[in-house]
Amino acid sequence: MNIRHLGSVILAVSDLPKSLKFYHEVIGLPIKNSRENWVELAKEGATVILHPASKPINTGTSIDNGIVMGLVVGDIESAVKELKAKNVPVYRDVTSHKAGKNCIVLDPDKYMVSLFEPSFDDGAKQARGFHGFAPL
């Protein structure tokens, strides 16, 4: 098998319009394509696809739901301030690590969205800016 890169991540969501508002209007991912029950969002790299869940999804953090989305940001402090002003729940506030700073916010289905501001001191060790922080 010759995998070149991750193409997309599909999120099963309980309320498509609510999740679309979060990822498009609050987070700022542009809409790439949409149909009645399918919305593709992407800036660069992998596409995030929102699709209505056919059954009720688990509640709790996305570790319980099975997914954490990672987004690289330029200035984590201003990103968190902006999201807090939009009443986005913060699961874990900004923490500093050798590879950079990260914070975890929750989407409408309580999926974790990890925001990461890389520290370029160890840039060679970072994979596309995200260093795989465990959200615990």
Side-chain angles (χ1 to χ4, degrees):
M1 183 180 329
N2 182 14
I3 298 172
R4 293 182 158 185
H5 59 82
L6 178 65
S8 64
V9 174
I10 300 172
L11 292 179
V13 298
S14 60
D15 184 329
L16 184 59
K18 191 174 183 179
S19 291
L20 176 58
K21 181 177 180 174
F22 177 80
Y23 285 100
H24 178 60
E25 295 178 22
V26 176
I27 295 292
L29 289 174
I31 297 171
K32 182 177 173 182
N33 189 17
S34 67
R35 298 191 298 270
E36 182 180 326
N37 65 348
W38 182 273
V39 180
E40 298 175 16
L41 303 135
K43 190 155 189 160
E44 62 180 67
T47 301
V48 175
I49 300 170
L50 306 177
H51 188 280
S54 58
K55 298 178 181 177
I57 60 174
N58 293 334
T59 58
T61 65
S62 56
I63 289 299
D64 298 325
N65 286 323
I67 191 163
V68 174
M69 178 161 329
L71 301 173
V72 178
V73 298
D75 180 354
I76 197 162
E77 301 294 340
S78 65
V80 171
K81 183 177 179 180
E82 179 182 335
L83 293 174
K84 284 180 178 180
K86 294 178 180 179
N87 297 315
V88 173
V90 175
Y91 180 80
R92 186 179 73 202
D93 218 338
V94 177
T95 57
S96 294
H97 306 271
K98 182 178 178 183
K101 300 176 188 176
N102 89 310
C103 171
I104 297 175
V105 299
L106 299 177
D107 85 350
D109 286 304
K110 296 189 175 122
Y111 288 133
M112 289 182 176
V113 178
S114 178
L115 306 176
F116 176 64
E117 178 187 332
S119 166
F120 293 103
D121 293 334
D122 75 341
K125 296 179 183 176
Q126 297 174 11
R128 297 185 66 173
F130 186 73
H131 203 63
F133 292 115
L136 301 175

